[in-house]
């Protein structure tokens, strides 16, 4: 009763059709006329004299319920039911069987076939109405629940996107604070992320490393790029801001920022972010100073043992480190000169495949650095 009362109050608000359509399938035309006379007072009635005729109707129409006779020549009710349940277009339509059989075995078979209920022939109007009303009301309630679930899912997705955006802003802000300690303008974070996006896009276009560079991998990699130097938070300002060349001891301490970075990512973000994102972020932080020939740090990985995300990050990091001005170095300009230095590291410092791709981005890099507008560099 509670469900029926709730539905009666909410049908209009939900936008559910108050005029339900019932398809009556029966080979006896007298039964069809009787169904029209009894049920037509409340519902819109469509009629079919066989299973074949019913499916022709269903090709262009979707009733709210099918009232299906069991004993029909050719395709009987159970065969029609089996075909309905085997088709994604029709299997959700509720079916109520019509039967003149008065035995429990037939009733059991009806429910096993997937019927929502059954109505005995000849029709007893009040009983038939009661059973059909109940099925339709429960169906309406089920549809409303689906709408509510979909609305909740959309709301969760919207909130998730907001949280993700907030997290990304926090990540970028934190990365910028770390870069400011290194006497950077904070543009290194923005620049390197953009270069990672450019490289990934070009690799996808060239169908390179396509087994790894899925949409989710690229999204996570670009989101993680700003964290590549997060480990510097544990490095002394005396080292980060030293204007001259670092001593061997100081450089050894500086190199630890890669290990610190991956540790910090797992310590702070583990359990709060997607595991795949955490893994990529940690790999970028730990391995972006590894070299293709195995002479990098912290672990001396070589070739494709270096995670792809870290190999891509290496190009973005080195390019911006050379092109940008810092307290301890003058910038290398123009873009073509920086690319010349990177080309020299092909197969030694850098992945040779990605090197060729990065070199092909020269025009895009000039545009990104505004060198295209400024003209040829004269410094």
């Amino acid at each position: 009763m509670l469900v029926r009362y709730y539905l009666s109050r909410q049908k209009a608000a939900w936008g559910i059709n108050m005029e339900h359509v019932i398809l009556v399938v029966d080979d006896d035309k007298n039964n069809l006329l009787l169904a029209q006379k009894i049920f037509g007072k409340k519902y819109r009635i469509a009629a079919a004299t066989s299973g074949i005729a019913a499916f022709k109707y269903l090709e262009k129409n979707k009733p709210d319920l099918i009232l299906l006779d069991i004993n029909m020549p050719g395709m009987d009710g159970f065969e029609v039911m089996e075909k309905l349940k085997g088709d994604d277009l029709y299997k959700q339509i509720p079916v109520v069987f019509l039967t003149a059989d008065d035995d429990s075995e037939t009733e059991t078979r009806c429910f096993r076939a997937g019927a929502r209920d059954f109505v005995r022939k000849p029709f007893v109007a009040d009983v038939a109405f009661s059973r059909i009303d109940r099925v339709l009301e429960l169906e309406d309630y089920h549809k409303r629940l689906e709408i509510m679930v979909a609305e909740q899912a959309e709301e969760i997705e919207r909130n998730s996107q907001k949280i993700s955006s907030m997290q990304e802003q926090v990540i970028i802000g934190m990365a910028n604070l770390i870069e400011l300690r290194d006497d950077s303008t904070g543009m290194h974070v923005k620049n390197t992320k953009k270069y990672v996006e450019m490289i990934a896009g070009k690799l996808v276009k060239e169908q390179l490393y396509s087994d790894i560079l899925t949409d989710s991998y690229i999204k996570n990699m670009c989101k993680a790029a700003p964290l590549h130097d997060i480990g510097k938070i544990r490095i002394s300002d005396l080292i980060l801001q030293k204007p001259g060349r670092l001593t061997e001891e100081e450089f050894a301490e500086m190199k630890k920022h890669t290990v610190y970075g991956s540790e910090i990512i797992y310590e702070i973000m583990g359990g709060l972010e997607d595991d795949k994102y955490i893994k990529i972020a940690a790999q970028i932080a730990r391995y972006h100073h590894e070299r293709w020939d195995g002479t990098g740090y912290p672990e001396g990985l070589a070739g494709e043992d270096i995670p792809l995300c870290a190999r891509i990050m290496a190009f973005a990091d080195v390019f911006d480190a050379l092109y940008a001005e810092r307290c301890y170095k003058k910038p290398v300009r123009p873009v073509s000169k920086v690319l010349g230095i990177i080309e020299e590291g092909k197969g030694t410092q850098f992945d040779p495949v990605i090197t060729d791709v990065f070199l092909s981005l020269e025009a895009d890099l000039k545009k990104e650095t505004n060198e295209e507008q400024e003209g040829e560099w004269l410094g």
Side-chain angles (χ1 to χ4, degrees), residues 198-251:
M198 291 167 61
I199 295 167
K202 187 68 171 180
L203 287 169
V204 169
K205 187 176 181 180
E206 298 294 331
Q207 298 184 338
L208 298 169
Y209 296 119
S210 55
D211 57 325
I212 301 175
L213 290 174
T214 61
D215 289 344
S216 62
Y217 187 95
I218 293 172
K219 181 180 179 181
N220 285 331
M221 178 174 60
C222 293
K223 182 181 175 183
L227 294 175
H228 68 281
D229 276 340
I230 193 174
K232 287 183 177 179
I233 199 169
R234 293 185 183 173
I235 304 298
S236 168
D237 285 344
L238 296 175
I239 295 176
L240 286 177
Q241 298 178 6
K242 183 176 179 179
R245 188 179 183 86
L246 299 179
T247 65
E248 288 186 12
E249 293 78 11
E250 289 169 337
F251 185 57

Side-chain angles (χ1 to χ4, degrees), residues 1-16 18 20 133-145:
M1 290 297 294
L2 178 61
V3 170
R4 181 174 297 183
Y5 173 76
Y6 185 64
L7 281 165
S8 66
R9 294 285 302 273
Q10 294 297 322
K11 279 183 180 178
W14 292 346
I16 293 174
M18 300 289 285
H20 289 104
D133 278 348
R134 181 178 60 189
V135 171
L136 287 173
E137 286 172 357
L138 289 174
E139 186 66 15
D140 285 346
Y141 187 65
H142 176 72
K143 288 177 181 177
R144 179 53 186 161
L145 286 178

Side-chain angles (χ1 to χ4, degrees), residues 33-76:
L33 292 173
L34 182 60
Q36 174 66 50
K37 182 178 179 180
I38 294 175
F39 303 122
K41 298 175 183 178
K42 187 173 182 179
Y43 308 114
R44 291 169 56 200
I45 303 299
T49 56
S50 67
I52 294 174
F55 282 105
K56 285 184 178 179
Y57 172 85
L58 290 172
E59 287 177 2
K60 297 181 179 180
N61 304 277
K62 187 175 181 181
D64 297 293
L65 181 142
I66 298 175
L67 199 56
L68 179 62
D69 186 26
I70 293 178
N71 299 311
M72 295 186 294
M75 185 185 297
D76 68 18

Side-chain angles (χ1 to χ4, degrees), residues 63-122:
D64 297 293
L65 181 142
I66 298 175
L67 199 56
L68 179 62
D69 186 26
I70 293 178
N71 299 311
M72 295 186 294
M75 185 185 297
D76 68 18
F78 291 113
E79 290 175 303
V80 172
M81 186 68 169
E82 184 178 359
K83 189 173 179 180
L84 288 169
K85 293 302 178 184
D87 194 314
D88 290 338
L89 292 174
Y90 311 134
K91 66 181 182 181
Q92 297 302 325
I93 302 174
V95 174
V96 173
F97 271 124
L98 288 171
T99 177
D101 297 337
D102 189 14
D103 62 84
S104 58
E105 184 178 343
T106 299
E107 292 177 14
T108 300
R109 191 179 176 191
C110 287
F111 287 117
R112 284 179 178 173
R116 300 291 178 87
D117 209 334
F118 63 92
V119 173
R120 295 193 189 284
K121 296 191 295 185

